[in-house]
PDB file of all heavy atoms in Angstrom:
ATOM      1  N   ASP F 889      48.918-216.133 -19.421  1.00 97.00           N
ATOM      2  CA  ASP F 889      48.250-217.227 -18.697  1.00 97.00           C
ATOM      3  C   ASP F 889      48.840-218.570 -19.078  1.00 97.00           C
ATOM      4  O   ASP F 889      49.068-219.442 -18.229  1.00 97.00           O
ATOM      5  CB  ASP F 889      46.735-217.209 -18.985  1.00 97.00           C
ATOM      6  CG  ASP F 889      46.046-216.005 -18.331  1.00 97.00           C
ATOM      7  OD1 ASP F 889      46.649-215.395 -17.425  1.00 97.00           O
ATOM      8  OD2 ASP F 889      44.910-215.716 -18.738  1.00 97.00           O
ATOM      9  N   TYR F 890      49.093-218.736 -20.358  1.00 98.00           N
ATOM     10  CA  TYR F 890      49.679-219.999 -20.855  1.00 98.00           C
ATOM     11  C   TYR F 890      51.088-220.196 -20.301  1.00 98.00           C
ATOM     12  O   TYR F 890      51.462-221.302 -19.899  1.00 98.00           O
ATOM     13  CB  TYR F 890      49.694-219.978 -22.386  1.00 98.00           C
ATOM     14  CG  TYR F 890      50.454-221.109 -23.018  1.00 98.00           C
ATOM     15  CD1 TYR F 890      49.862-222.362 -23.200  1.00 98.00           C
ATOM     16  CD2 TYR F 890      51.748-220.916 -23.494  1.00 98.00           C
ATOM     17  CE1 TYR F 890      50.571-223.395 -23.794  1.00 98.00           C
ATOM     18  CE2 TYR F 890      52.452-221.949 -24.086  1.00 98.00           C
ATOM     19  CZ  TYR F 890      51.854-223.193 -24.239  1.00 98.00           C
ATOM     20  OH  TYR F 890      52.561-224.224 -24.810  1.00 98.00           O
ATOM     21  N   LEU F 891      51.874-219.127 -20.272  1.00 98.00           N
ATOM     22  CA  LEU F 891      53.272-219.236 -19.853  1.00 98.00           C
ATOM     23  C   LEU F 891      53.445-219.306 -18.331  1.00 98.00           C
ATOM     24  O   LEU F 891      54.507-219.679 -17.843  1.00 98.00           O
ATOM     25  CB  LEU F 891      54.071-218.045 -20.378  1.00 98.00           C
ATOM     26  CG  LEU F 891      54.321-218.048 -21.907  1.00 98.00           C
ATOM     27  CD1 LEU F 891      54.852-216.693 -22.330  1.00 98.00           C
ATOM     28  CD2 LEU F 891      55.266-219.163 -22.320  1.00 98.00           C
ATOM     29  N   ARG F 892      52.404-218.966 -17.584  1.00 97.00           N
ATOM     30  CA  ARG F 892      52.491-218.928 -16.134  1.00 97.00           C
ATOM     31  C   ARG F 892      52.975-220.255 -15.552  1.00 97.00           C
ATOM     32  O   ARG F 892      53.739-220.310 -14.610  1.00 97.00           O
ATOM     33  CB  ARG F 892      51.144-218.564 -15.534  1.00 97.00           C
ATOM     34  CG  ARG F 892      51.191-217.581 -14.412  1.00 97.00           C
ATOM     35  CD  ARG F 892      49.817-217.071 -14.029  1.00 97.00           C
ATOM     36  NE  ARG F 892      49.351-216.015 -14.923  1.00 97.00           N
ATOM     37  CZ  ARG F 892      49.775-214.740 -14.859  1.00 97.00           C
ATOM     38  NH1 ARG F 892      50.659-214.373 -13.954  1.00 97.00           N
ATOM     39  NH2 ARG F 892      49.304-213.831 -15.678  1.00 97.00           N
ATOM     40  N   SER F 893      52.519-221.352 -16.173  1.00 96.00           N
ATOM     41  CA  SER F 893      52.879-222.692 -15.648  1.00 96.00           C
ATOM     42  C   SER F 893      54.149-223.226 -16.316  1.00 96.00           C
ATOM     43  O   SER F 893      54.546-224.348 -16.047  1.00 96.00           O
ATOM     44  CB  SER F 893      51.721-223.647 -15.899  1.00 96.00           C
ATOM     45  OG  SER F 893      51.499-223.774 -17.300  1.00 96.00           O
ATOM     46  N   LYS F 894      54.750-222.446 -17.202  1.00 96.00           N
ATOM     47  CA  LYS F 894      55.936-222.925 -17.913  1.00 96.00           C
ATOM     48  C   LYS F 894      57.217-222.457 -17.238  1.00 96.00           C
ATOM     49  O   LYS F 894      57.200-221.756 -16.226  1.00 96.00           O
ATOM     50  CB  LYS F 894      55.895-222.396 -19.368  1.00 96.00           C
ATOM     51  CG  LYS F 894      54.619-222.755 -20.132  1.00 96.00           C
ATOM     52  CD  LYS F 894      54.693-224.166 -20.600  1.00 96.00           C
ATOM     53  CE  LYS F 894      53.525-224.486 -21.504  1.00 96.00           C
ATOM     54  NZ  LYS F 894      52.706-225.638 -21.063  1.00 96.00           N
ATOM     55  N   GLU F 895      58.345-222.874 -17.835  1.00 94.00           N
ATOM     56  CA  GLU F 895      59.661-222.532 -17.280  1.00 94.00           C
ATOM     57  C   GLU F 895      60.067-221.112 -17.645  1.00 94.00           C
ATOM     58  O   GLU F 895      59.625-220.576 -18.660  1.00 94.00           O
ATOM     59  CB  GLU F 895      60.726-223.487 -17.841  1.00 94.00           C
ATOM     60  CG  GLU F 895      60.494-224.956 -17.526  1.00 94.00           C
ATOM     61  CD  GLU F 895      60.652-225.238 -16.041  1.00 94.00           C
ATOM     62  OE1 GLU F 895      61.691-224.832 -15.474  1.00 94.00           O
ATOM     63  OE2 GLU F 895      59.741-225.834 -15.474  1.00 94.00           O
ATOM     64  N   ARG F 896      60.953-220.554 -16.854  1.00 93.00           N
ATOM     65  CA  ARG F 896      61.591-219.285 -17.203  1.00 93.00           C
ATOM     66  C   ARG F 896      62.245-219.410 -18.560  1.00 93.00           C
ATOM     67  O   ARG F 896      62.906-220.393 -18.858  1.00 93.00           O
ATOM     68  CB  ARG F 896      62.654-218.987 -16.165  1.00 93.00           C
ATOM     69  CG  ARG F 896      62.651-217.590 -15.671  1.00 93.00           C
ATOM     70  CD  ARG F 896      63.526-217.431 -14.445  1.00 93.00           C
ATOM     71  NE  ARG F 896      64.933-217.607 -14.782  1.00 93.00           N
ATOM     72  CZ  ARG F 896      65.907-216.975 -14.154  1.00 93.00           C
ATOM     73  NH1 ARG F 896      65.642-216.160 -13.153  1.00 93.00           N
ATOM     74  NH2 ARG F 896      67.164-217.161 -14.496  1.00 93.00           N
ATOM     75  N   GLY F 897      62.076-218.397 -19.393  1.00 93.00           N
ATOM     76  CA  GLY F 897      62.685-218.427 -20.735  1.00 93.00           C
ATOM     77  C   GLY F 897      61.768-219.041 -21.778  1.00 93.00           C
ATOM     78  O   GLY F 897      62.066-218.964 -22.967  1.00 93.00           O
ATOM     79  N   ASP F 898      60.668-219.655 -21.377  1.00 95.00           N
ATOM     80  CA  ASP F 898      59.713-220.145 -22.359  1.00 95.00           C
ATOM     81  C   ASP F 898      58.988-218.992 -23.018  1.00 95.00           C
ATOM     82  O   ASP F 898      58.884-217.897 -22.432  1.00 95.00           O
ATOM     83  CB  ASP F 898      58.724-221.107 -21.725  1.00 95.00           C
ATOM     84  CG  ASP F 898      59.307-222.520 -21.567  1.00 95.00           C
ATOM     85  OD1 ASP F 898      60.458-222.737 -21.949  1.00 95.00           O
ATOM     86  OD2 ASP F 898      58.580-223.404 -21.064  1.00 95.00           O
ATOM     87  N   PHE F 899      58.475-219.204 -24.208  1.00 96.00           N
ATOM     88  CA  PHE F 899      57.909-218.086 -24.982  1.00 96.00           C
ATOM     89  C   PHE F 899      56.851-218.612 -25.961  1.00 96.00           C
ATOM     90  O   PHE F 899      56.768-219.787 -26.254  1.00 96.00           O
ATOM     91  CB  PHE F 899      59.010-217.369 -25.762  1.00 96.00           C
ATOM     92  CG  PHE F 899      59.655-218.230 -26.819  1.00 96.00           C
ATOM     93  CD1 PHE F 899      59.180-218.209 -28.121  1.00 96.00           C
ATOM     94  CD2 PHE F 899      60.691-219.070 -26.499  1.00 96.00           C
ATOM     95  CE1 PHE F 899      59.758-219.025 -29.083  1.00 96.00           C
ATOM     96  CE2 PHE F 899      61.272-219.888 -27.473  1.00 96.00           C
ATOM     97  CZ  PHE F 899      60.796-219.858 -28.765  1.00 96.00           C
ATOM     98  N   VAL F 900      56.043-217.662 -26.430  1.00 97.00           N
ATOM     99  CA  VAL F 900      55.141-217.936 -27.529  1.00 97.00           C
ATOM    100  C   VAL F 900      55.250-216.800 -28.527  1.00 97.00           C
ATOM    101  O   VAL F 900      55.628-215.683 -28.179  1.00 97.00           O
ATOM    102  CB  VAL F 900      53.652-218.077 -27.081  1.00 97.00           C
ATOM    103  CG1 VAL F 900      53.454-219.282 -26.169  1.00 97.00           C
ATOM    104  CG2 VAL F 900      53.135-216.815 -26.432  1.00 97.00           C
ATOM    105  N   ILE F 901      54.922-217.136 -29.772  1.00 97.00           N
ATOM    106  CA  ILE F 901      54.804-216.114 -30.807  1.00 97.00           C
ATOM    107  C   ILE F 901      53.303-215.969 -31.072  1.00 97.00           C
ATOM    108  O   ILE F 901      52.581-216.963 -31.104  1.00 97.00           O
ATOM    109  CB  ILE F 901      55.531-216.573 -32.096  1.00 97.00           C
ATOM    110  CG1 ILE F 901      57.053-216.743 -31.806  1.00 97.00           C
ATOM    111  CG2 ILE F 901      55.319-215.566 -33.236  1.00 97.00           C
ATOM    112  CD1 ILE F 901      57.779-217.545 -32.850  1.00 97.00           C
ATOM    113  N   ARG F 902      52.856-214.721 -31.213  1.00 96.00           N
ATOM    114  CA  ARG F 902      51.410-214.516 -31.322  1.00 96.00           C
ATOM    115  C   ARG F 902      51.107-213.319 -32.237  1.00 96.00           C
ATOM    116  O   ARG F 902      52.015-212.573 -32.599  1.00 96.00           O
ATOM    117  CB  ARG F 902      50.813-214.275 -29.934  1.00 96.00           C
ATOM    118  CG  ARG F 902      51.389-213.095 -29.247  1.00 96.00           C
ATOM    119  CD  ARG F 902      50.825-212.891 -27.857  1.00 96.00           C
ATOM    120  NE  ARG F 902      51.440-211.734 -27.206  1.00 96.00           N
ATOM    121  CZ  ARG F 902      51.095-210.479 -27.413  1.00 96.00           C
ATOM    122  NH1 ARG F 902      50.115-210.164 -28.240  1.00 96.00           N
ATOM    123  NH2 ARG F 902      51.722-209.492 -26.768  1.00 96.00           N
ATOM    124  N   GLN F 903      49.828-213.203 -32.567  1.00 91.00           N
ATOM    125  CA  GLN F 903      49.386-212.032 -33.318  1.00 91.00           C
ATOM    126  C   GLN F 903      49.599-210.787 -32.485  1.00 91.00           C
ATOM    127  O   GLN F 903      49.539-210.836 -31.253  1.00 91.00           O
ATOM    128  CB  GLN F 903      47.904-212.189 -33.624  1.00 91.00           C
ATOM    129  CG  GLN F 903      47.623-212.227 -35.127  1.00 91.00           C
ATOM    130  CD  GLN F 903      46.193-212.619 -35.410  1.00 91.00           C
ATOM    131  OE1 GLN F 903      45.823-213.768 -35.230  1.00 91.00           O
ATOM    132  NE2 GLN F 903      45.392-211.699 -35.857  1.00 91.00           N
ATOM    133  N   SER F 904      49.786-209.688 -33.117  1.00 93.00           N
ATOM    134  CA  SER F 904      50.026-208.423 -32.402  1.00 93.00           C
ATOM    135  C   SER F 904      48.776-207.553 -32.483  1.00 93.00           C
ATOM    136  O   SER F 904      48.085-207.549 -33.508  1.00 93.00           O
ATOM    137  CB  SER F 904      51.215-207.684 -33.031  1.00 93.00           C
ATOM    138  OG  SER F 904      51.301-206.378 -32.493  1.00 93.00           O
ATOM    139  N   SER F 905      48.538-206.803 -31.415  1.00 90.00           N
ATOM    140  CA  SER F 905      47.422-205.864 -31.440  1.00 90.00           C
ATOM    141  C   SER F 905      47.743-204.663 -32.348  1.00 90.00           C
ATOM    142  O   SER F 905      46.857-203.848 -32.612  1.00 90.00           O
ATOM    143  CB  SER F 905      47.133-205.372 -30.016  1.00 90.00           C
ATOM    144  OG  SER F 905      48.307-204.864 -29.435  1.00 90.00           O
ATOM    145  N   ARG F 906      48.959-204.569 -32.799  1.00 93.00           N
ATOM    146  CA  ARG F 906      49.367-203.431 -33.647  1.00 93.00           C
ATOM    147  C   ARG F 906      48.924-203.595 -35.090  1.00 93.00           C
ATOM    148  O   ARG F 906      49.139-202.691 -35.888  1.00 93.00           O
ATOM    149  CB  ARG F 906      50.860-203.230 -33.604  1.00 93.00           C
ATOM    150  CG  ARG F 906      51.363-202.859 -32.230  1.00 93.00           C
ATOM    151  CD  ARG F 906      52.815-202.496 -32.280  1.00 93.00           C
ATOM    152  NE  ARG F 906      53.347-202.275 -30.954  1.00 93.00           N
ATOM    153  CZ  ARG F 906      54.454-201.592 -30.702  1.00 93.00           C
ATOM    154  NH1 ARG F 906      55.150-201.076 -31.700  1.00 93.00           N
ATOM    155  NH2 ARG F 906      54.874-201.440 -29.464  1.00 93.00           N
ATOM    156  N   GLY F 907      48.395-204.770 -35.450  1.00 88.00           N
ATOM    157  CA  GLY F 907      47.917-204.940 -36.804  1.00 88.00           C
ATOM    158  C   GLY F 907      48.573-206.081 -37.558  1.00 88.00           C
ATOM    159  O   GLY F 907      49.358-206.836 -36.986  1.00 88.00           O
ATOM    160  N   ASP F 908      48.249-206.166 -38.818  1.00 87.00           N
ATOM    161  CA  ASP F 908      48.627-207.339 -39.619  1.00 87.00           C
ATOM    162  C   ASP F 908      50.066-207.322 -40.080  1.00 87.00           C
ATOM    163  O   ASP F 908      50.525-208.279 -40.701  1.00 87.00           O
ATOM    164  CB  ASP F 908      47.705-207.463 -40.840  1.00 87.00           C
ATOM    165  CG  ASP F 908      46.280-207.855 -40.394  1.00 87.00           C
ATOM    166  OD1 ASP F 908      46.170-208.650 -39.464  1.00 87.00           O
ATOM    167  OD2 ASP F 908      45.329-207.359 -41.002  1.00 87.00           O
ATOM    168  N   ASP F 909      50.795-206.222 -39.871  1.00 93.00           N
ATOM    169  CA  ASP F 909      52.212-206.244 -40.236  1.00 93.00           C
ATOM    170  C   ASP F 909      53.094-206.289 -38.988  1.00 93.00           C
ATOM    171  O   ASP F 909      54.236-205.858 -39.005  1.00 93.00           O
ATOM    172  CB  ASP F 909      52.573-205.069 -41.155  1.00 93.00           C
ATOM    173  CG  ASP F 909      52.231-203.744 -40.534  1.00 93.00           C
ATOM    174  OD1 ASP F 909      51.543-203.696 -39.495  1.00 93.00           O
ATOM    175  OD2 ASP F 909      52.659-202.702 -41.113  1.00 93.00           O
ATOM    176  N   HIS F 910      52.500-206.841 -37.933  1.00 95.00           N
ATOM    177  CA  HIS F 910      53.281-207.048 -36.700  1.00 95.00           C
ATOM    178  C   HIS F 910      52.961-208.410 -36.129  1.00 95.00           C
ATOM    179  O   HIS F 910      51.843-208.907 -36.238  1.00 95.00           O
ATOM    180  CB  HIS F 910      52.915-205.996 -35.630  1.00 95.00           C
ATOM    181  CG  HIS F 910      53.414-204.631 -35.918  1.00 95.00           C
ATOM    182  ND1 HIS F 910      54.586-204.128 -35.385  1.00 95.00           N
ATOM    183  CD2 HIS F 910      52.923-203.656 -36.722  1.00 95.00           C
ATOM    184  CE1 HIS F 910      54.773-202.894 -35.832  1.00 95.00           C
ATOM    185  NE2 HIS F 910      53.770-202.595 -36.636  1.00 95.00           N
ATOM    186  N   LEU F 911      53.965-209.014 -35.487  1.00 96.00           N
ATOM    187  CA  LEU F 911      53.751-210.159 -34.624  1.00 96.00           C
ATOM    188  C   LEU F 911      54.348-209.767 -33.254  1.00 96.00           C
ATOM    189  O   LEU F 911      54.955-208.707 -33.129  1.00 96.00           O
ATOM    190  CB  LEU F 911      54.483-211.387 -35.170  1.00 96.00           C
ATOM    191  CG  LEU F 911      53.930-211.983 -36.451  1.00 96.00           C
ATOM    192  CD1 LEU F 911      54.914-213.020 -37.017  1.00 96.00           C
ATOM    193  CD2 LEU F 911      52.562-212.622 -36.224  1.00 96.00           C
ATOM    194  N   ALA F 912      54.134-210.604 -32.271  1.00 97.00           N
ATOM    195  CA  ALA F 912      54.701-210.337 -30.963  1.00 97.00           C
ATOM    196  C   ALA F 912      55.250-211.646 -30.395  1.00 97.00           C
ATOM    197  O   ALA F 912      54.727-212.714 -30.687  1.00 97.00           O
ATOM    198  CB  ALA F 912      53.659-209.754 -30.023  1.00 97.00           C
TER     199      ALA F 912
END
């Protein structure tokens, strides 16, 4: 939702649903 209004190639780093030893 956040990236929908952004440019192609934009990104975020976020917590992962896989647990505390993963990011996404």
